[in-house]
Amino acid sequence: MTGDERPRYAYLGPAGTFTEAALRQVVGPDEAAYLPQVDVVSAIEAVRHGEAEFAVVAIENSVEGGVTAVLDTLATGDPLVIQREMLVPVSFTLAARPGTTMADVARISAHPHAWAQCRRWLRANLPGVVHVPATSNTAPAALLAGTDEKLAFDAALIPPAALEHYALEALATDVADSSRAVTRFVVVGTPGEVPPPTGADKTTLVVHLPSNQAGALMEMLEQLSTRGVNLSRIESRPIGDALGRYSFSMDVEGHIAEERVAEAFMGLHRVCPHVRFMGSYPRVDEPHDGVRPGTLDADFHAARAWVTALREGQAT
């Protein structure tokens, strides 16, 4: 396979990011062209503009919740769908140029999500240190290693694997407030025929409320609960056209090909002004509970056959 024939994957770079680690779970660098981007929006837009077939982006973190830039970018613009999800354990290394000590560190560069996951450690070990925001988890490492000039920061919070790419020294390892922190990444591509269900799937969607009146959220959620569709994530995001108007980004357990999920989508389509399907794909963790009795595909099929018989005068 030549370089021109390899599928192109856009991801948040430069080399050594957690996103690259997630991408390597999908396809190796010898099988695909890796296209590092300066931010997650650029990675998603590379797919929309035909510069890449796929994008790998972080969508949710166990400490900070949803990655809002990704959620908002996927919720608008040309439709894209999630095709796969991956989990990457997250901890950080505090790195600096050779010769730097902890006593020298007054300003640390870090991606905002990295900083949020290390606040307590930093308060305990480097009280008063100043945060210098970075565009990615390895961007400050590239700056520190790429020049001897004085920078606006003394050290950086970076993924442990980034030390393989940049000539820096570790001042502290396993930097994190939670030893079980994990980030969920997704592969995003253009819409096509939805792959068949695996029996352990997840479906992502964006929904606008049917109205701004009391009970509107309940009306929307009832379309799911009455069909036995369990939510594994729900987050409100401002629509952006006026104060007080919000959309809801949701993950539900199940596949659009399953009767209960399809019926829930039809219910949402009837009562909500906007519903965006963002993909059904295999989940990497186990469902929280089994399918509720009465909501199996066979139950929907039997109920539909009964109604058909009623209409034809063959049942009472």
Side-chain angles (χ1 to χ4, degrees):
M1 181 177 287
T2 66
D4 289 340
E5 295 173 340
R6 294 183 301 165
R8 298 166 296 174
Y9 283 78
Y11 73 101
L12 177 62
T17 60
F18 290 114
T19 310
E20 184 184 39
L23 171 54
R24 287 176 179 271
Q25 292 185 28
V26 179
V27 62
D30 55 335
E31 301 171 301
Y34 286 13
L35 306 180
Q37 306 293 315
V38 296
D39 54 46
V40 292
V41 174
S42 298
I44 294 170
E45 293 300 332
V47 179
R48 287 186 169 136
H49 296 153
E51 299 163 2
E53 283 72 46
F54 307 99
V56 173
V57 290
I59 196 169
E60 181 184 12
N61 177 266
S62 60
V63 176
E64 281 293 282
V67 180
T68 56
V70 170
L71 296 176
D72 293 346
T73 304
L74 292 176
T76 58
D78 293 339
L80 296 173
V81 293
I82 298 171
Q83 301 181 355
R84 178 174 172 175
E85 66 176 5
M86 304 79 69
L87 298 180
V88 176
V90 174
S91 68
F92 297 89
T93 293
L94 181 64
R97 290 168 175 162
T100 304
T101 68
M102 289 283 279
D104 299 323
V105 178
R107 300 169 68 85
I108 294 176
S109 185
H111 189 276
H113 275 260
W115 187 265
Q117 294 177 70
C118 302
R119 286 192 187 104
R120 293 197 300 273
W121 188 96
L122 292 164
R123 190 181 303 116
N125 294 275
L126 289 167
V129 71
V130 176
H131 177 209
V132 178
T135 57
S136 80
N137 285 316
T138 56
L143 291 173
L144 281 171
T147 178
D148 293 329
E149 297 178 4
K150 178 70 174 177
L151 298 173
F153 54 92
D154 311 301
L157 286 172
I158 64 174
L163 286 177
E164 301 173 7
H165 301 276
Y166 306 102
L168 301 174
E169 292 184 350
L171 301 180
T173 58
D174 296 322
V175 178
D177 294 341
S178 172
S179 60
R180 295 182 294 177
V182 63
T183 296
R184 181 165 70 103
F185 292 83
V186 293
V187 177
V188 176
T190 54
E193 185 175 354
V194 180
T198 66
D201 300 286
K202 184 181 294 183
T203 296
T204 299
L205 65 157
V206 172
V207 183
H208 292 187
L209 286 182
S211 69
N212 197 28
Q213 299 177 350
L217 178 58
M218 181 179 293
E219 183 180 4
M220 183 261 284
L221 293 176
E222 281 178 342
Q223 306 306 317
L224 303 172
S225 64
T226 56
R227 278 98 176 173
V229 177
N230 188 48
L231 275 171
S232 59
R233 180 186 63 85
I234 180 170
E235 299 182 58
S236 62
R237 296 296 305 149
I239 294 175
D241 56 358
L243 288 174
R245 280 178 38 81
Y246 287 84
S247 65
F248 288 84
S249 174
M250 299 184 287
D251 293 334
V252 302
E253 294 182 355
H255 192 284
I256 190 67
E258 296 177 63
E259 290 286 347
R260 68 184 187 282
V261 178
E263 290 271 358
F265 264 79
M266 287 188 280
L268 291 169
H269 188 268
R270 288 198 307 271
V271 303
C272 299
H274 176 76
V275 180
R276 172 171 282 205
F277 170 70
M278 293 171 55
S280 289
Y281 48 93
R283 60 184 303 154
V284 295
D285 56 344
E286 293 296 326
H288 295 102
D289 296 296
V291 178
R292 195 172 74 196
T295 63
L296 293 166
D297 282 5
D299 298 319
F300 282 95
H301 296 161
R304 192 173 295 116
W306 176 68
V307 170
T308 299
L310 288 176
R311 290 170 175 170
E312 296 173 351
Q314 298 175 9
T316 59

